[in-house]
Amino acid sequence: MTQVTAMLVMFVLYGVLPAAGLYLGYRGIKKVTAPKMLEYTAMPQLGYIPEKSLPVDVKAALDQINQKGKKLRLIYGDTNNDGKIDDKDTINETYIMIQNLMDRHIPQAVVDYRRLHDLDGADRARADTTKIKHSDVTGKQALLDVLKTIDVQFDDLLNASYHQDGQKLLATNRYLQMRFDNPNAHSTMQSLSELDENTETIQSPILKNPGSKNTVETSETVDNIKL
Protein backbone atom coordinates (compact mmCIF):
# COMPACT_ATOMS: atom_id res chain seq x y z
CA MET A 1 0.00 0.00 0.00
CA THR A 2 1.46 3.34 -1.03
CA GLN A 3 1.52 6.38 1.17
CA VAL A 4 -1.16 8.13 -0.92
CA THR A 5 -3.49 5.14 -0.66
CA ALA A 6 -2.95 4.96 3.09
CA MET A 7 -3.76 8.65 3.49
CA LEU A 8 -6.92 8.22 1.41
CA VAL A 9 -8.07 5.29 3.55
CA MET A 10 -7.37 7.25 6.73
CA PHE A 11 -9.34 10.22 5.37
CA VAL A 12 -12.35 8.01 4.60
CA LEU A 13 -12.22 6.14 7.93
CA TYR A 14 -11.59 9.09 10.21
CA GLY A 15 -13.09 11.93 8.22
CA VAL A 16 -15.88 11.02 5.79
CA LEU A 17 -17.50 8.18 7.74
CA PRO A 18 -17.75 10.01 11.10
CA ALA A 19 -19.10 13.13 9.36
CA ALA A 20 -21.70 11.05 7.48
CA GLY A 21 -22.66 9.30 10.71
CA LEU A 22 -23.14 12.59 12.53
CA TYR A 23 -25.24 14.00 9.68
CA LEU A 24 -27.48 10.93 9.44
CA GLY A 25 -27.87 10.86 13.20
CA TYR A 26 -28.87 14.52 13.24
CA ARG A 27 -31.44 13.96 10.48
CA GLY A 28 -32.84 10.94 12.28
CA ILE A 29 -33.19 12.74 15.61
CA LYS A 30 -34.76 15.74 13.90
CA LYS A 31 -37.26 13.52 12.10
CA VAL A 32 -38.22 11.66 15.28
CA THR A 33 -38.60 14.80 17.37
CA ALA A 34 -40.36 16.86 14.67
CA PRO A 35 -44.08 17.46 15.32
CA LYS A 36 -46.49 15.38 13.28
CA MET A 37 -48.24 17.40 10.60
CA LEU A 38 -51.82 17.17 9.37
CA GLU A 39 -52.31 14.77 6.48
CA TYR A 40 -55.45 15.28 4.42
CA THR A 41 -55.32 14.03 0.85
CA ALA A 42 -58.27 16.22 -0.17
CA MET A 43 -56.84 19.28 1.61
CA PRO A 44 -53.05 19.20 1.11
CA GLN A 45 -52.83 22.92 1.96
CA LEU A 46 -53.15 21.96 5.66
CA GLY A 47 -50.04 19.76 5.52
CA TYR A 48 -47.79 22.35 7.14
CA ILE A 49 -49.92 22.61 10.32
CA PRO A 50 -48.88 20.50 13.36
CA GLU A 51 -51.57 18.19 14.68
CA LYS A 52 -50.97 19.36 18.27
CA SER A 53 -51.90 22.92 17.31
CA LEU A 54 -55.56 21.98 16.77
CA PRO A 55 -58.12 20.69 19.31
CA VAL A 56 -59.35 17.11 19.03
CA ASP A 57 -62.89 18.07 17.99
CA VAL A 58 -61.55 20.35 15.24
CA LYS A 59 -59.39 17.54 13.84
CA ALA A 60 -62.39 15.18 13.98
CA ALA A 61 -64.46 17.66 11.96
CA LEU A 62 -61.64 18.03 9.42
CA ASP A 63 -61.39 14.23 9.12
CA GLN A 64 -65.09 13.97 8.20
CA ILE A 65 -64.86 16.80 5.67
CA ASN A 66 -61.76 15.23 4.12
CA GLN A 67 -63.49 11.87 3.63
CA LYS A 68 -66.66 13.40 2.21
CA GLY A 69 -64.68 15.80 0.04
CA LYS A 70 -62.77 12.98 -1.64
CA LYS A 71 -66.05 11.26 -2.54
CA LEU A 72 -67.66 14.45 -3.79
CA ARG A 73 -64.68 15.36 -5.96
CA LEU A 74 -65.00 12.05 -7.81
CA ILE A 75 -68.79 12.23 -8.01
CA TYR A 76 -68.96 15.74 -9.44
CA GLY A 77 -65.52 15.93 -11.07
CA ASP A 78 -65.20 12.52 -12.74
CA THR A 79 -67.95 13.16 -15.30
CA ASN A 80 -66.83 10.42 -17.71
CA ASN A 81 -66.59 7.77 -14.94
CA ASP A 82 -63.05 6.66 -15.73
CA GLY A 83 -61.93 6.75 -12.09
CA LYS A 84 -59.82 9.90 -12.33
CA ILE A 85 -60.24 13.64 -12.80
CA ASP A 86 -58.43 14.96 -15.86
CA ASP A 87 -58.86 17.15 -18.93
CA LYS A 88 -61.39 14.74 -20.40
CA ASP A 89 -63.92 15.57 -17.67
CA THR A 90 -66.42 18.41 -17.87
CA ILE A 91 -66.04 20.96 -15.06
CA ASN A 92 -69.31 22.11 -13.48
CA GLU A 93 -70.20 24.72 -10.86
CA THR A 94 -70.69 22.17 -8.08
CA TYR A 95 -67.19 20.78 -8.55
CA ILE A 96 -65.70 24.29 -8.54
CA MET A 97 -67.55 25.08 -5.31
CA ILE A 98 -66.21 21.91 -3.65
CA GLN A 99 -62.68 22.72 -4.78
CA ASN A 100 -62.90 26.29 -3.49
CA LEU A 101 -64.15 25.11 -0.11
CA MET A 102 -61.36 22.59 0.32
CA ASP A 103 -58.54 24.59 -1.27
CA ARG A 104 -59.30 28.08 0.06
CA HIS A 105 -62.07 28.53 2.61
CA ILE A 106 -61.25 25.67 5.00
CA PRO A 107 -57.47 26.35 5.12
CA GLN A 108 -58.16 30.07 5.59
CA ALA A 109 -60.56 29.38 8.48
CA VAL A 110 -57.96 27.15 10.17
CA VAL A 111 -55.27 29.81 9.69
CA ASP A 112 -57.54 32.46 11.24
CA TYR A 113 -58.17 30.24 14.26
CA ARG A 114 -54.47 29.52 14.73
CA ARG A 115 -53.76 33.25 14.55
CA LEU A 116 -56.24 33.80 17.38
CA HIS A 117 -54.79 30.83 19.23
CA ASP A 118 -51.23 32.18 19.05
CA LEU A 119 -52.14 35.83 19.52
CA ASP A 120 -51.30 36.07 23.21
CA GLY A 121 -48.12 34.02 23.27
CA ALA A 122 -48.17 31.94 26.46
CA ASP A 123 -51.90 32.45 27.04
CA ARG A 124 -53.00 30.23 24.15
CA ALA A 125 -56.27 29.12 25.75
CA ARG A 126 -57.91 32.44 24.98
CA ALA A 127 -59.25 31.33 21.58
CA ASP A 128 -60.92 28.36 23.28
CA THR A 129 -62.42 30.20 26.26
CA THR A 130 -62.91 33.90 25.48
CA LYS A 131 -65.95 34.91 23.47
CA ILE A 132 -65.46 37.14 20.48
CA LYS A 133 -66.69 40.69 20.91
CA HIS A 134 -70.29 41.28 19.80
CA SER A 135 -70.89 37.52 19.58
CA ASP A 136 -71.70 34.57 21.80
CA VAL A 137 -69.00 32.20 20.56
CA THR A 138 -65.29 31.70 21.12
CA GLY A 139 -62.71 31.44 18.35
CA LYS A 140 -62.82 27.67 18.57
CA GLN A 141 -66.63 27.59 18.38
CA ALA A 142 -66.55 29.94 15.38
CA LEU A 143 -64.20 27.56 13.56
CA LEU A 144 -66.36 24.56 14.45
CA ASP A 145 -69.44 26.42 13.15
CA VAL A 146 -67.68 27.02 9.82
CA LEU A 147 -66.70 23.35 9.55
CA LYS A 148 -70.19 22.22 10.55
CA THR A 149 -71.77 24.39 7.85
CA ILE A 150 -69.46 22.88 5.22
CA ASP A 151 -70.08 19.37 6.55
CA VAL A 152 -73.86 19.83 6.28
CA GLN A 153 -73.46 21.14 2.74
CA PHE A 154 -71.39 18.10 1.82
CA ASP A 155 -74.07 15.81 3.29
CA ASP A 156 -76.68 17.52 1.11
CA LEU A 157 -74.54 17.02 -1.98
CA LEU A 158 -74.00 13.33 -1.16
CA ASN A 159 -77.75 12.84 -0.61
CA ALA A 160 -78.54 14.59 -3.88
CA SER A 161 -76.09 12.34 -5.73
CA TYR A 162 -77.59 9.26 -4.07
CA HIS A 163 -81.13 10.11 -5.13
CA GLN A 164 -80.04 11.12 -8.62
CA ASP A 165 -78.22 7.84 -9.20
CA GLY A 166 -81.14 5.98 -7.63
CA GLN A 167 -83.54 7.55 -10.12
CA LYS A 168 -81.26 6.41 -12.95
CA LEU A 169 -81.45 2.84 -11.64
CA LEU A 170 -85.23 3.02 -11.43
CA ALA A 171 -85.45 4.35 -14.98
CA THR A 172 -83.14 1.57 -16.20
CA ASN A 173 -85.30 -1.03 -14.47
CA ARG A 174 -88.49 0.35 -16.02
CA TYR A 175 -86.89 0.28 -19.47
CA LEU A 176 -85.72 -3.32 -19.05
CA GLN A 177 -89.13 -4.45 -17.83
CA MET A 178 -90.80 -2.84 -20.83
CA ARG A 179 -88.14 -4.26 -23.14
CA PHE A 180 -88.33 -7.88 -22.00
CA ASP A 181 -91.84 -8.21 -20.54
CA ASN A 182 -93.81 -6.53 -23.37
CA PRO A 183 -93.67 -8.45 -26.68
CA ASN A 184 -95.38 -5.61 -28.56
CA ALA A 185 -92.65 -3.23 -27.47
CA HIS A 186 -90.08 -5.74 -28.72
CA SER A 187 -91.76 -6.10 -32.12
CA THR A 188 -92.11 -2.33 -32.44
CA MET A 189 -88.41 -1.86 -31.75
CA GLN A 190 -87.61 -4.64 -34.25
CA SER A 191 -89.75 -2.97 -36.91
CA LEU A 192 -87.97 0.32 -36.34
CA SER A 193 -84.65 -1.46 -36.64
CA GLU A 194 -85.67 -3.08 -39.94
CA LEU A 195 -86.88 0.29 -41.23
CA ASP A 196 -83.48 1.82 -40.46
CA GLU A 197 -81.75 -1.05 -42.29
CA ASN A 198 -83.98 -0.65 -45.36
CA THR A 199 -83.35 3.09 -45.41
CA GLU A 200 -79.61 2.49 -45.24
CA THR A 201 -79.88 -0.04 -48.12
CA ILE A 202 -81.72 2.46 -50.32
CA GLN A 203 -79.24 5.24 -49.65
CA SER A 204 -76.09 3.15 -49.69
CA PRO A 205 -75.49 3.07 -53.50
CA ILE A 206 -75.44 6.85 -53.65
CA LEU A 207 -73.31 7.20 -50.52
CA LYS A 208 -70.84 4.52 -51.62
CA ASN A 209 -70.50 5.91 -55.17
CA PRO A 210 -70.45 9.71 -54.97
CA GLY A 211 -69.57 10.03 -58.67
CA SER A 212 -72.59 8.13 -59.94
CA LYS A 213 -75.32 9.58 -62.14
CA ASN A 214 -77.80 9.50 -59.27
CA THR A 215 -75.58 11.78 -57.28
CA VAL A 216 -75.36 14.29 -60.12
CA GLU A 217 -79.11 14.27 -60.61
CA THR A 218 -79.66 14.69 -56.91
CA SER A 219 -77.28 17.66 -56.82
CA GLU A 220 -79.05 19.28 -59.79
CA THR A 221 -82.42 18.77 -58.11
CA VAL A 222 -81.15 20.40 -54.93
CA ASP A 223 -79.82 23.38 -56.93
CA ASN A 224 -83.19 23.79 -58.64
CA ILE A 225 -84.95 23.77 -55.28
CA LYS A 226 -82.57 26.43 -53.93
CA LEU A 227 -83.24 28.62 -56.97
Side-chain angles (χ1 to χ4, degrees):
M1 179 183 297
T2 64
Q3 185 177 1
V4 175
T5 305
M7 292 178 62
L8 181 61
V9 172
M10 295 291 290
F11 175 74
V12 172
L13 291 177
Y14 297 102
V16 176
L17 292 181
L22 290 174
Y23 175 75
L24 294 176
Y26 168 76
R27 291 294 301 270
I29 294 174
K30 186 177 180 179
K31 185 176 181 180
V32 171
T33 57
K36 187 178 181 180
M37 301 298 179
L38 296 175
E39 294 183 4
Y40 296 116
T41 55
M43 297 179 290
Q45 290 80 359
L46 298 178
Y48 71 95
I49 298 177
E51 286 188 356
K52 294 182 179 180
S53 65
L54 295 179
V56 176
D57 44 359
V58 171
K59 289 187 291 185
L62 289 174
D63 289 337
Q64 291 184 355
I65 292 176
N66 181 67
Q67 294 175 2
K68 296 175 183 178
K70 287 192 296 184
K71 296 179 181 178
L72 289 172
R73 286 180 62 188
L74 282 177
I75 291 173
Y76 291 96
D78 183 19
T79 55
N80 59 357
N81 297 321
D82 62 352
K84 58 183 178 180
I85 302 174
D86 50 26
D87 296 338
K88 297 179 181 179
D89 296 304
T90 303
I91 301 299
N92 53 55
E93 294 182 0
T94 303
Y95 178 77
I96 295 175
M97 180 196 69
I98 295 170
Q99 282 293 95
N100 287 336
L101 286 173
M102 306 193 74
D103 292 345
R104 294 173 50 194
H105 298 290
I106 295 177
Q108 185 61 49
V110 175
V111 168
D112 292 339
Y113 166 77
R114 294 184 72 238
R115 187 180 296 112
L116 293 175
H117 192 272
D118 299 337
L119 191 61
D120 295 328
D123 186 17
R124 295 188 174 183
R126 183 175 183 179
D128 300 341
T129 59
T130 304
K131 293 183 179 180
I132 302 173
K133 191 175 182 179
H134 304 307
S135 71
D136 195 35
V137 296
T138 64
K140 174 183 174 182
Q141 290 171 337
L143 175 60
L144 288 174
D145 288 343
V146 171
L147 298 179
K148 182 179 179 181
T149 300
I150 296 175
D151 187 65
V152 171
Q153 180 67 27
F154 280 5
D155 283 336
D156 292 341
L157 291 174
L158 288 172
N159 290 334
S161 175
Y162 169 80
H163 292 295
Q164 181 179 2
D165 292 339
Q167 291 296 329
K168 291 180 181 178
L169 289 175
L170 294 177
T172 301
N173 186 44
R174 288 194 296 267
Y175 166 77
L176 293 176
Q177 288 179 344
M178 181 183 68
R179 175 67 175 80
F180 294 111
D181 296 343
N182 189 348
N184 294 329
H186 175 68
S187 60
T188 302
M189 294 181 66
Q190 185 175 4
S191 299
L192 291 174
S193 178
E194 292 176 353
L195 179 60
D196 292 339
E197 292 177 357
N198 293 335
T199 304
E200 182 180 359
T201 303
I202 295 173
Q203 294 179 350
S204 59
I206 299 177
L207 296 177
K208 293 180 180 179
N209 189 7
S212 64
K213 181 180 179 182
N214 291 333
T215 305
V216 177
E217 293 176 354
T218 304
S219 302
E220 293 175 354
T221 304
V222 172
D223 294 335
N224 293 333
I225 294 175
K226 290 181 178 179
L227 294 175

